[in-house]
Amino acid sequence: MEYTARVASSVQFVSELDRSVTFYRDLFNCVETIRSADAALLLAPGGFELYLIERGPREEHYSDGLGQHLLMWATDTAEGLAYFERALKDLGRYTETRAKGGVTVVEGRDPDGIRVIVTHPDPAEKPRSVLDSHLYS
């Protein structure tokens, strides 16, 4: 018998819980399902769980070390990608849009400066054929 697993959740440390909940809720239409004094569980459309855990403003973020580097989202349509580009611009969080290997990437930063990427098409629609060097820079 063959067993498989899929990515279902991500845990992200943030400096200000309320600010991060608002950002991810508003940008990705997440629903806050559980809340404590220093943590929240957001449910994204499609069922992906995003745990946000407050660590305070002095916690360091090691983006060039080992471990999770960023959280990448995908949208089903070009119109959806345009929406996320506009939303990131409206939030003052947009950094760039680029295309490579038939995949368009919109990139921004969350309130703590952590990279947020939205792609189109979804990997299920178009399997990736090249590595985007921006992902590991």
Side-chain angles (χ1 to χ4, degrees):
M1 175 178 260
E2 185 176 320
Y3 297 97
T4 63
R6 65 177 177 80
V7 175
S9 306
S10 180
V11 175
Q12 188 163 308
F13 296 132
V14 300
S15 63
E16 293 179 35
L17 185 61
D18 289 336
R19 179 179 71 173
S20 293
V21 166
T22 298
F23 175 80
Y24 286 101
R25 183 193 63 216
D26 292 353
L27 182 61
F28 293 113
N29 200 29
C30 294
V31 175
E32 184 178 339
T33 60
I34 302 173
R35 179 73 173 249
S36 72
D38 60 355
L41 171 58
L42 303 181
L43 185 62
F48 185 77
E49 297 174 327
L50 179 59
Y51 290 83
L52 299 175
I53 301 171
E54 185 173 82
R55 290 292 192 220
R58 291 184 295 274
E59 189 71 22
E60 294 185 41
H61 175 65
Y62 298 100
S63 61
D64 56 347
L66 298 177
Q68 183 177 317
H69 181 57
L70 57 88
L71 192 57
M72 192 178 308
W73 304 73
T75 185
D76 295 336
T77 65
E79 293 81 11
L81 192 63
Y83 163 80
F84 287 109
E85 181 179 56
R86 278 190 314 276
L88 284 165
K89 287 178 178 178
D90 290 347
L91 292 167
R93 299 289 177 188
Y94 172 82
T95 55
E96 71 173 316
T97 298
R98 62 184 179 278
K100 188 170 187 175
V103 177
T104 303
V105 174
V106 170
E107 185 168 336
R109 299 272 178 174
D110 83 352
D112 288 307
I114 298 168
R115 294 167 70 195
V116 175
I117 292 178
V118 184
T119 67
H120 174 74
D122 185 288
E125 294 176 60
K126 177 161 181 44
R128 303 313 188 225
S129 60
V130 295
L131 292 175
D132 183 348
S133 62
H134 286 84
L135 296 179
Y136 44 92
S137 60

